[in-house]
Amino acid sequence: MPKGLRRWLTALGLLAACAAQAAARPNIVLLLADDWGFSDVGAYGGEIATPHLDALARQGMRFANFHVAASCSPTRSMLLTGVDNHRNGVGNMRETIPQSHLGQPGYLGVLNDRVVTIASLLRDSGYRTSVAGKWHVGKEPHNLPPARGFDRSLVMGDSGSDNWETGKRYLDLTDKVYWFEDGREAVMPKEFYSSQFYVDKTIDYLRAGAGSGKPFFAYVAFQANHIPVQAPKEFIAKYQGRYQAGWTALRQARRDKAVALGLVPPDTAMVTMGTSTDWDQLSPAEQAYQARRMEVYAAMAEAMDFHVGRLIAHLKASGEYDNTVFVFLSDNGAEASDPYATTLGRWWLDREYQRDFDQLGAKGAYSVIGPSWASAAASPLSTYKFYSGEGGIRVPLIVSGIPGMPQDRIAHSLAHVNDIVPTLLDLAQVARPGNRYQGRPIEPLAGTSMLPLLMGQSDRVHAPDEAIGYELSGNQALFLGDLKLIRNIAPVGDGQWHLYDIRRDPGETRDLQQAQPEAFKTMQARYASWAEAHGVLAMPEGYDPIHQVLINALVNVYVPRWRNPALALAAGLLAWLALRWRRQRASRKP
C-alpha cells in the first residue's frame, strides 16, 4: 500500500474514532427560565401554551419535587457549580444582602475562586461551550463567562433589565445595564426582544462551531418572566379574557389539573396567603387591569416557549437533535414583588416607564403580577419567590433526550439544583473533580447524580436519612426524606419553625410538629449543624428584604452618583421612614 494512502487511511480512521466518541457523548442544552411558578408550564397543570416544553416532558421526565433557591443568583451559582451557595460565594443576592454580611466568607455576592463550573469541566474534556442570557453571578473579569469555562458568550450581567430596550434598566439598582460578549463590553442593538435575541445568539454559536466535531454544551438563561413583564402583542392577544375569573379560580384550576396529571396527591390542600386580595372586592376596572397583567405574563411565557421551539427546530435541521439532552428549570418561584409599592421605586419608575392598560407588555411599559397572581402561578404550593415555602423553591424540572431513558414519567423523589452538575458530568462521561482541580483546591460537589433515577434504575435521588439544608435572607429549611422543616421571616412568615410532609402535603397545610415531636426536635438540631458547617450568618435585627434593596440601591448607585454622602443618607432616612410608616399602617389593619 502506498505510504500516502496509508497515512490518509490512518487519519480517516482517527477521524472516525473521534466522531464515534463524540456521538457517544451527548450535546447538552440547559434552558433556564426566570421566576416561573411551579404550575406555569402546561405539563405541570398550567393553562399557558408551552407546547415545546410539554413535548420535552412527554419525551422524558418531569420532576414533581425539585428544589432550588428562592432567588436568582444563588440558584444560578449552584446550577453552574454544584456547590451550595454559601460555599460558592453567593450566600445572598447582591440586591438583598445586608451590608454587614457583604464580603464575609460565603457572602461575596458573586462566585468565589474555590469553585469550578460545569462549563469548565465540559470544555476541558472536549466540549464546546456557550451561554446566552442573564448571568448574575459576577461581573468581574475573573467571573465573566470566558473565565468560567465558556468558549462563546453574550450575557447581561445584572439581576434583570428591560426586554425591549437593551440599555434600559428595570430598576435603579445599577448605574447601567452591563452587557458582555466573550468577556468584553458588548456592542448591543438598541432594541430587541430578549427571548428571541438569546436564542438567536445560541444558534449563531452552534453554527459557528458545527465543523469542530465536538459535542456542545449550550446554556440559555432567559429573562422571561422576570420583571418588567413584557411580551409581543401577538402573544398577548391570545390570552385576552382568559383571566377574568381571577386568581382564586386560577389557583384552584391549576391545582386540579396538577392532581389529574399525577404531580401532586388527590387530597392536596392549599393555604390562602395573607398577601392575596379578594378578587370579588375589586371593582370591574381593577379586575380588568389585573387580568391584563396576567395576560401579559402568560404571553411572555409562551413567547419564551416559542423561541425554545426555534432552537429545537435548528437542532433537528442540523441533525443534532437526536443526540441532544435537554434540561429545563426555573431559577425560583413566581415573583410577587411590586416595585411601585415603595416610594423610591415608584419615584424612579414613574420617570422611566408608564403602566397604562392598553400599553402593558409593550416597549416603555412596566408590569408585574403581584402576590395574588404569583400565588396562583405557584399553585398548589405556598409562598413564592424569596421565601422558603414550596412555592418559592419548588419549581418545574424537565429532563429529556437521554438515549434509552423511559418516556413520559413523573419523578416524586426529592431532588435539588446541586444534583444537576453531577448528572451532566455522568452524561458527558466526565469524572468529578474532587477537592482539587488543575492544581488548586476547590469545594467538592454537593449534589448527587440523578442519572439512575432518570434511567429507571432507582426510585429516588437522595437516601431517606440524607439531610439537605437551605437558607436565604433568613428564610430557612431542612429536607429529610419526605419531611421538611421550615421557618420564614415576616412579612410572609411568622418566624417560627414548622414541620410538613411535603410528599403528602405539598401545600404545607398540616403542621406535624405536635404529631412528630422527635422528628421536629432532631431536624432543628440537624439544621443548626448544617448552618454552622456552611457558615450561615444570622440576619441583622429588623432585617426586611424590601428595605434592604433600598439601602443597597442607595449605597451602590445613589452615593456614587451624587457624590454627596449626606444627601444619600437623608434620602435613605426618608425611604426608611416611609417604609416604617407603611409597615405600621399595614399592622393596624384588622
Side-chain angles (χ1 to χ4, degrees):
M1 179 184 296
K3 183 184 264 187
L5 179 60
R6 188 184 307 118
R7 284 199 301 264
W8 185 82
L9 289 173
T10 300
L12 187 63
L14 289 173
L15 286 172
C18 290
Q21 183 182 18
R25 304 173 72 198
N27 306 314
I28 299 168
V29 172
L30 178 57
L31 304 168
L32 183 64
D34 201 328
D35 295 355
W36 282 36
F38 177 77
S39 55
D40 276 335
V41 181
Y44 278 76
E47 74 296 333
I48 300 172
T50 54
H52 301 100
L53 295 176
D54 295 349
L56 293 178
R58 288 192 299 272
Q59 296 159 14
M61 177 176 282
R62 281 167 287 174
F63 283 72
N65 197 4
F66 174 74
H67 294 82
V68 294
S71 64
C72 311
S73 55
T75 290
R76 291 158 196 269
S77 71
M78 292 186 281
L79 180 63
L80 284 168
T81 68
V83 175
D84 183 84
N85 60 297
H86 294 88
R87 288 186 175 275
N88 68 34
V90 193
N92 205 332
M93 279 204 312
R94 179 179 180 270
E95 292 78 12
T96 54
I97 191 170
Q99 289 292 311
S100 60
H101 287 185
L102 188 60
Q104 297 293 321
Y107 289 84
L108 303 178
V110 299
L111 291 178
N112 62 34
D113 60 2
R114 299 191 309 277
V115 291
V116 59
T117 69
I118 180 65
S120 292
L121 295 169
L122 292 178
R123 184 176 68 179
D124 294 346
S125 70
Y127 272 72
R128 51 192 168 104
T129 57
S130 69
V131 57
K134 174 176 163 179
W135 184 239
H136 203 200
V137 289
K139 294 182 289 193
E140 310 80 10
H142 65 276
N143 265 329
L144 289 175
R148 291 296 184 175
F150 289 97
D151 298 318
R152 299 302 312 275
S153 57
L154 186 288
V155 297
M156 186 270 296
D158 308 302
S159 58
S161 67
D162 193 87
N163 295 285
W164 290 114
E165 300 175 74
T166 59
K168 195 165 188 175
R169 296 168 296 155
Y170 81 103
L171 280 175
D172 203 14
L173 303 178
T174 58
D175 59 331
K176 67 176 184 178
V177 182
Y178 284 84
W179 293 98
F180 301 96
E181 184 158 25
D182 297 333
R184 298 179 296 275
E185 189 165 349
V187 178
M188 296 291 292
K190 184 177 180 181
E191 296 181 3
F192 71 161
Y193 186 66
S194 63
S195 293
Q196 178 179 358
F197 184 78
Y198 295 147
V199 168
D200 285 347
K201 276 293 176 182
T202 299
I203 292 174
D204 287 346
Y205 294 151
L206 294 179
R207 283 176 174 154
S212 68
K214 297 179 179 180
F216 63 79
F217 170 63
Y219 174 33
V220 191
F222 294 96
Q223 289 177 221
N225 280 359
H226 195 280
I227 57 175
V229 179
Q230 297 167 318
K233 60 183 180 181
E234 61 269 25
F235 288 96
I236 299 173
K238 295 182 179 183
Y239 293 92
Q240 187 171 355
R242 179 63 183 81
Y243 298 103
Q244 289 178 336
W247 37 66
T248 302
L250 180 65
R251 185 160 165 76
Q252 185 66 43
R254 287 193 176 193
R255 177 264 180 205
D256 294 346
K257 185 65 179 296
V259 167
L261 291 170
L263 288 158
V264 297
D267 61 347
T268 294
M270 299 186 294
V271 297
T272 299
M273 294 187 59
T275 51
S276 292
T277 302
D278 185 344
W279 179 263
D280 292 332
Q281 295 301 310
L282 301 180
S283 69
E286 290 171 330
Q287 289 180 350
Y289 189 84
Q290 292 295 339
R292 175 53 61 90
R293 281 181 159 184
M294 192 62 191
E295 290 169 9
V296 177
Y297 179 89
M300 191 177 194
E302 183 180 345
M304 194 202 87
D305 180 89
F306 172 83
H307 291 294
V308 168
R310 291 178 51 239
L311 176 58
I312 291 172
H314 167 76
L315 295 175
K316 289 180 176 178
S318 64
E320 296 283 6
Y321 177 81
D322 290 337
N323 190 42
T324 300
V325 172
F326 294 88
V327 179
F328 165 80
L329 68 154
S330 176
D331 62 352
N332 44 250
E335 169 69 89
S337 302
D338 184 355
Y340 284 99
T342 69
T343 303
L344 188 61
R346 184 167 59 255
W347 171 77
W348 186 83
L349 285 169
D350 282 343
R351 293 165 51 233
E352 300 290 332
Y353 286 94
Q354 55 101 347
R355 43 181 170 159
D356 294 342
F357 178 94
D358 292 337
Q359 294 301 311
L360 290 182
K363 174 185 171 183
Y366 200 98
S367 185
V368 302
I369 58 171
S372 300
W373 285 125
S375 185
S379 178
L381 310 177
S382 177
T383 78
Y384 29 64
K385 182 179 177 180
F386 294 128
Y387 295 95
S388 59
E390 291 294 277
I393 61 177
R394 186 190 292 210
V395 298
L397 170 68
I398 297 170
V399 181
S400 178
I402 302 174
M405 75 177 295
Q407 296 188 355
D408 201 12
R409 292 186 304 144
I410 295 174
H412 291 280
S413 168
L414 176 70
H416 189 268
V417 64
N418 278 329
D419 301 329
I420 289 179
V421 166
T423 303
L424 298 184
L425 292 178
D426 280 359
L427 284 168
Q429 304 168 39
V430 177
R432 286 191 177 208
N435 295 317
R436 300 187 69 83
Y437 189 70
Q438 296 183 344
R440 64 185 175 94
I442 62 169
E443 294 283 347
L445 300 185
T448 300
S449 175
M450 300 182 290
L451 194 55
L453 176 70
L454 290 163
M455 298 304 294
Q457 300 163 359
S458 174
D459 62 357
R460 64 187 314 136
V461 178
H462 297 276
D465 60 349
E466 180 184 352
I468 300 175
Y470 171 83
E471 188 276 341
L472 186 64
S473 294
N475 299 307
Q476 305 159 322
L478 184 92
F479 299 90
L480 186 63
D482 293 335
L483 294 178
K484 177 187 176 185
L485 182 74
I486 175 176
R487 178 163 62 184
N488 277 313
I489 65 172
V492 166
D494 60 6
Q496 303 299 311
W497 285 112
H498 301 276
L499 182 67
Y500 301 104
D501 182 331
I502 57 168
R503 182 77 173 266
R504 297 175 180 84
D505 179 27
E508 296 172 303
T509 64
R510 300 184 292 274
D511 192 343
L512 301 177
Q513 59 177 294
Q514 299 300 325
Q516 300 190 39
E518 287 302 315
F520 185 59
K521 181 179 178 181
T522 299
M523 290 181 69
Q524 288 182 66
R526 294 192 70 169
Y527 173 83
S529 298
W530 174 86
E532 182 178 6
H534 286 75
V536 175
L537 299 178
M539 301 306 290
E541 185 70 26
Y543 172 83
D544 181 289
I546 297 175
H547 184 201
Q548 194 64 53
V549 169
L550 297 177
I551 292 174
N552 293 344
L554 289 166
V555 171
N556 297 327
V557 179
Y558 285 90
V559 170
R561 180 184 298 160
W562 291 340
R563 300 182 183 181
N564 187 331
L567 186 59
L569 182 62
L573 179 60
L574 287 173
W576 178 79
L577 288 172
L579 181 66
R580 187 168 179 233
W581 173 81
R582 183 170 60 85
R583 290 171 60 189
Q584 288 176 342
R585 186 182 180 193
S587 68
R588 290 195 294 267
K589 291 182 179 179

